[in-house]
Amino acid sequence: MKYKNPHGSKKYAVAPLSLIALAGGAAPAMASGFALNLQSAEALGAATAGAQATPATPGNAYFNPASIVGVEGMETSLSFIGVLNDTSYENANAALFGVVPVAGDTAGEGIIGDAVIPTGAAAVKLSDHLFAGVALYAPFGFNTEYDDTSALRYHGTYSQVVSGVIQPMLGVSFGGWSIAAGPKFEYVDIDLEGAIDAAGIESALLMTMAIPGTDDASVDVSANDWGTGFVVGLQGHVGHRLTVGASFSSKVEHSLSGTAAFDISTSTSGQTLSGLAGLFQDTGVTSSFTTPANIQFGLNYEVNDKTRVLASATQTRWKSFDQLVLNFENPAQPAETTTQNWKNTWAGAVGVERDFGPSQTVRLGVMYEDDPANPDFSSPRVPGASRVWLAAGYSRDLSERAKLHLAASYAIAETTPLNESAAYPENLFRGSVTGETDISGFVAAVGVDWRF
């Protein structure tokens, strides 16, 4: 059947400023897994190298909350990051019950959506040693979309995660060092759509002559939740030329709740199963979803008065993303499980920045990020890939109060296989999948700092 997406085209997501904390919908091509490390135009120019070791830089509070310490008066930072992806899949093959080939497209393009991500932060000096701030950013987000004629349709036609964080902070300076901490309030919204092999389920449960893969129903699951975690960071000077920083951002556990809407209007098998077995009826849905913790380290070394060498390392603790289980309030509808079993990963970046005159700075950087995905559970919904970033940036003082940041980055990822085995019970009616994905992308950013 031809399933019409009720939400319309979602290939391009724009988060307005009034919803800056709920920004998301960006692709995982630009960060480890579906983390969005694109939180500052200034930091992007050096591929985020050294962003954890930047005193008095509120725009880098995502990388280290201690970056709010040292501001004079009040300072704000606002960045807009645009993500344009070049993505495709090919050589897709799928089979139901191990023997019935799934008819459909075996290749496609534009499977990962584009996005514009706004982020912002503000900090104020309360006394000589006490500082306060708040940051608004989207730490996680992606969307993937496949045509409803794709051979991969039983493993998902549309998947989106949108997140937003409101992060208030307090910071203290002491003897060349600073520490800052605070809670983070994280919103997560998921939207999952997919085709259902209603004919195959009818054949298996009701022992009819229905042929698997010939009569599809569809489902749209939407759920959301607010959760709470915390952040803490440290920065300090080691000697006269070296600044170091480290931070920890906790995982956040979410208890998602929402709705599941089934479409069986053109599915004879779906209507039969709904009437006789109680399946495919609109219902509430709940799920547990944990966003990972991360640990960040950075350094900024002054080679001379004009040149600085930057470096950073980040571990994202993806082991918390083991599986997603959708529990339906309809007792006749069995739970849906998607196993991930991701691993913790590291990313490392090096960069350099050089001042040209008193008001201009140029940056270059390169970063490598490892793929957290388990190759035994490589799903079309969240295709993974290790990736290399190449980045460049430029900053210029516009006035005594305003500073402009421009940056661009290109991410190159390796070709990654898709692999879902029908031997896993959760894939009994989704079938097996093999294939390959190619992911690359371009990021451009503009930011403005304003001192009051």
Side-chain angles (χ1 to χ4, degrees), residues 216-251:
D216 292 355
S218 62
V219 63
D220 180 353
V221 174
S222 296
N224 57 71
D225 180 60
W226 280 93
T228 305
F230 70 92
V231 296
V232 61
L234 176 72
Q235 284 183 350
H237 300 290
V238 180
H240 296 291
R241 295 185 178 271
L242 178 63
T243 304
V244 297
S247 68
F248 175 78
S249 181
S250 73
K251 68 179 181 180

Side-chain angles (χ1 to χ4, degrees), residues 134-181:
V134 62
L136 307 174
Y137 57 88
F140 306 99
F142 77 94
N143 61 43
T144 55
E145 188 171 3
Y146 299 86
D147 290 341
D148 41 7
T149 56
S150 171
L152 306 175
R153 63 187 180 274
Y154 298 127
H155 285 265
T157 54
Y158 184 80
S159 309
Q160 177 173 269
V161 170
V162 174
S163 73
V165 162
I166 303 171
Q167 178 179 298
M169 300 159 285
L170 279 176
V172 178
S173 64
F174 53 95
W177 289 82
S178 62
I179 187 169

Side-chain angles (χ1 to χ4, degrees), residues 11 13 24-38 83-87 111-117 140-144 161 382-383 387 389 439-441 443:
K11 287 290 186 175
M30 294 305 127
S32 173
F34 54 89
L36 298 175
N37 292 331
L38 314 174
V83 183
L84 298 174
N85 288 291
D86 181 10
T87 59
I111 60 174
I112 296 177
D114 304 323
V116 173
I117 309 167
F140 306 99
F142 77 94
N143 61 43
T144 55
V161 170
V382 193
R387 52 194 66 80
W389 290 27
I439 301 172
S440 61
V443 178

Side-chain angles (χ1 to χ4, degrees), residues 170-195:
L170 279 176
V172 178
S173 64
F174 53 95
W177 289 82
S178 62
I179 187 169
K184 62 176 181 177
F185 304 100
E186 182 177 83
Y187 174 82
V188 166
D189 181 283
I190 67 169
D191 190 354
L192 306 175
E193 301 173 11

Side-chain angles (χ1 to χ4, degrees), residues 23 28 68 81 83-84 88 106 140 174-175 177 194 277 325 350 369 378 447:
I68 68 170
I81 298 100
V83 183
L84 298 174
S88 63
T106 61
F140 306 99
F174 53 95
W177 289 82
V325 181
V350 293
E369 292 184 308
S378 186

Side-chain angles (χ1 to χ4, degrees), residues 291-346:
T291 55
N294 69 50
I295 305 169
Q296 303 193 48
F297 305 93
L299 63 85
N300 182 322
Y301 180 74
E302 295 185 13
V303 177
N304 53 48
D305 292 342
K306 294 184 177 181
T307 305
R308 294 164 293 280
V309 174
L310 315 170
S312 64
T314 301
Q315 184 191 54
T316 306
R317 302 189 64 79
W318 285 112
K319 277 191 174 182
S320 60
F321 188 50
D322 53 355
Q323 62 178 201
L324 180 66
V325 181
L326 301 176
N327 299 297
F328 300 95
E329 292 180 2
N330 175 10
Q333 189 72 41
E336 283 282 339
T337 300
T338 301
T339 299
Q340 299 296 332
N341 282 348
W342 281 13
K343 66 179 180 179
N344 296 340
T345 58
W346 283 91

